[in-house]
Amino acid sequence: MRLLPQLEGLHSAESFAPEFLQAFFARVREVEDTPGLFADALRGRVVAMVFLEPSTRTRLSFEAAVLRLGGSVITVADPRTASAAKGEALADTARVVAAYGDAMVLRHTGEGASRLAAAVTGMPVVNAGDGRLGHPTQTLTDLYTLYRAWGSFQGRTVGLFGDLAHGRTARSLLWGLVALGARVVFLPAPGLDWEPDFEDRVLARAGYRPARACHPLLAAWTGREVARVAEPPGAVQGRLFAGEAPPLLEHLDALYLTRLQQERGAAPPSAYPRLEPGRLEDPLLRDCLLLHPLPRRGELPRELDEDPRARYFEQVRHGPAVRAALFLALLRSDRWSLPPLQPLPAGHPDPSLGLCPNPRCITREEGLPVPWRLAGAGRREFLCALCDSRLEVDYAGCRSTRRLHPLHGPAVARIQPENLRPFRDRQTALREGYLWSPG
Ligand code: NCD
């Protein structure tokens, strides 16, 4: 096992490699089973909780984790009492916090906020929710709950239900589920689906295949009986022929419900779906664990709380141990090292690409040009390095030959990544002295 001297922070569930997750689950188990062993591990360490968006569970479970490890916390719990309310930029707030704490836990409305805070401070920053982009420690809690129930994720089918467009927990969970080889069924509420390029990118990275399945019950949740399915590599599935009905979705092993995220601009669909308790007798749900990041609204009726399949309060109970295991890896790597997270590629600051197209990106709030990175192993997709939005790029130049090519031409594949320079338009490149080379 390769050991990393110190995790540098946690920004996105895209970083979860299977070896990391397996080792992490074992560590959480140790923390839960033998808390006394860790009671002093963070003595003398200060963790800053900077919550610039509302939170109950997440903040308290991070605080409980630090306190149970013998460390101290300093907290901004209410955005109205922070200098952000006076218009302070996150980059400045982060530098101030870095002077007081050994690590920072950040919740922010700006997408990519934790990556920016880490970049300007160099301190370990944990993303506790950045806009609708991600919530990786919630995913660790969700996955750990399923791991305790199942051991392995192979052959398991998980449904993601509700407001996929605006929720961050389902987005993060998708990265985690594909890292561990589960099959995923997408069950967005009507009109509340995420953008297809996000799903395509996650599936492509993990070698998953898009498929479809149907069940009459799904119409009550999504408005359609047919759902998209992400099939793990190697899953035996017949090929669908044009016009052929998709196969029946026989059962779900877990259903991950999420609420309508009205604070992120989700207009309520005429009726947000709800899990009717009577449906749990259907073979589709007979052995299905029910998870929810909470808070809930009407989608998850309280009558289900005593059902043995309900696991949402168990998720809450695992929260502090999950976060404690993360702090041990971040701040006490001398004692508790873990296999590395997959690093997110570094962003290239490149003023010529202008602003990030995503109005919720933290760079827009901070007035910064978009830093870009390449998507996964593919060479032809450029993303904002902070919020992962796809950037419109039509041309690529080579810094060493100073030639400019159409992005989808054959020459681009031969440019070394460190020499690649994306351009939105030809004029900018020509002005910089690049030579147009259409071949
Ligand atoms: C989630 C969040 O903040 O994204 N809550 C949480 O962290 N437990 C889900 C939500 O607010 O709906």
Side-chain angles (χ1 to χ4, degrees):
M1 185 191 292
R2 194 155 70 87
L3 299 177
L4 193 76
Q6 184 151 309
L7 290 184
E8 282 159 10
L10 174 59
H11 306 296
S12 166
E14 182 175 356
S15 296
F16 294 152
E19 314 76 56
F20 171 86
L21 291 171
Q22 293 300 344
F24 187 80
F25 298 152
R27 183 60 40 78
V28 180
R29 189 99 210 229
E30 258 178 85
V31 173
E32 284 188 336
D33 292 350
T34 50
L37 277 184
F38 305 90
D40 271 338
L42 292 194
R43 182 147 320 284
R45 303 298 182 96
V46 176
V47 180
M49 307 287 164
V50 181
F51 279 70
L52 300 176
E53 241 191 24
S55 169
T56 308
R57 261 158 305 276
T58 305
R59 181 170 61 79
L60 293 182
S61 77
F62 269 111
E63 292 191 358
V66 177
L67 298 174
R68 285 184 199 177
L69 297 172
S72 314
V73 295
I74 50 177
T75 296
V76 175
D78 180 353
R80 286 167 307 182
T81 64
S83 289
K86 302 182 198 165
E88 185 172 61
L90 172 63
D92 287 353
T93 305
R95 286 193 184 97
V96 170
V97 171
Y100 307 147
D102 297 299
M104 179 185 347
V105 177
L106 178 66
R107 172 168 284 192
H108 199 282
T109 48
E111 298 177 8
S114 74
R115 299 181 210 182
L116 180 76
V120 296
T121 61
M123 83 191 299
V125 179
V126 176
N127 179 6
D130 58 342
R132 61 179 193 177
L133 185 61
H135 194 352
T137 64
Q138 179 66 44
T139 295
L140 291 172
T141 308
D142 303 336
L143 293 175
Y144 181 70
T145 306
L146 293 173
Y147 160 82
R148 287 296 297 263
W150 298 338
S152 163
F153 285 70
Q154 306 283 329
R156 299 290 184 176
T157 302
V158 181
L160 299 179
F161 170 113
D163 186 356
L164 303 189
H166 303 92
R168 53 194 169 202
T169 56
R171 268 176 211 260
S172 281
L173 184 57
L174 179 61
W175 284 111
L177 290 170
V178 303
L180 292 170
R183 183 166 175 250
V184 185
V185 183
F186 302 104
L187 304 168
L192 295 171
D193 206 349
W194 49 40
E195 56 295 354
D197 71 285
F198 163 69
E199 191 175 302
D200 294 347
R201 195 155 50 81
V202 182
L203 267 53
R205 229 276 302 270
Y208 270 57
R209 192 170 55 77
R212 287 183 304 152
C214 69
H215 192 286
L217 239 180
L218 305 186
W221 301 341
T222 67
R224 304 183 58 211
E225 291 191 3
V226 178
R228 299 192 306 279
V229 176
E231 291 287 355
V236 198
Q237 274 285 314
R239 235 174 81 83
L240 272 190
F241 293 99
E244 202 178 332
L248 182 73
L249 179 66
E250 285 173 6
H251 73 281
L252 288 170
D253 295 295
L255 184 61
Y256 190 82
L257 297 115
T258 61
R259 71 176 167 99
L260 179 71
Q261 305 270 319
Q262 253 168 308
E263 76 273 35
R264 293 192 206 295
S270 48
Y272 193 74
R274 172 175 196 271
L275 180 60
E276 296 293 347
R279 307 281 196 202
L280 285 171
E281 298 322 310
D282 191 286
L284 180 73
L285 299 176
R286 199 176 286 143
D287 299 310
C288 180
L289 303 181
L290 304 176
L291 281 84
H292 195 303
L294 302 178
R296 64 176 147 181
R297 307 255 303 249
E299 67 282 352
L300 182 56
R302 287 176 208 288
E303 295 112 278
L304 294 172
D305 293 358
E306 302 309 320
D307 190 291
R309 289 164 287 191
R311 297 299 162 94
Y312 28 97
F313 291 114
E314 183 186 332
Q315 285 166 272
V316 174
R317 282 195 297 279
H318 291 312
V322 163
R323 277 132 187 156
L326 187 64
F327 285 125
L328 291 170
L330 287 175
L331 296 173
R332 288 309 306 269
S333 53
D334 51 327
R335 282 170 60 187
W336 315 107
S337 45
L338 283 173
L341 289 164
Q342 286 172 9
L344 299 172
H348 299 253
D350 197 347
S352 70
L353 283 184
L355 295 179
C356 179
N358 173 8
R360 294 168 303 273
C361 178
I362 187 68
T363 57
R364 296 282 294 261
E365 235 170 272
E366 305 275 304
L368 301 169
V370 60
W372 59 265
R373 64 158 166 134
L374 290 171
R379 300 276 307 278
R380 296 203 167 145
E381 202 183 351
F382 292 85
L383 304 180
C384 168
L386 294 185
C387 79
D388 298 339
S389 296
R390 191 143 102 209
L391 303 176
E392 289 297 334
V393 169
D394 290 324
Y395 303 94
C398 174
R399 286 178 210 271
S400 80
T401 63
R402 306 295 290 177
R403 288 185 184 279
L404 180 74
H405 310 278
L407 185 64
H408 294 287
V412 175
R414 293 193 293 271
I415 303 175
Q416 294 301 314
E418 62 279 12
N419 285 333
L420 204 57
R421 176 88 200 277
F423 286 99
R424 278 187 177 150
D425 58 89
R426 253 159 72 177
Q427 289 67 26
T428 313
L430 300 181
R431 265 202 308 276
E432 285 192 26
Y434 279 82
L435 207 65
W436 177 234
S437 171

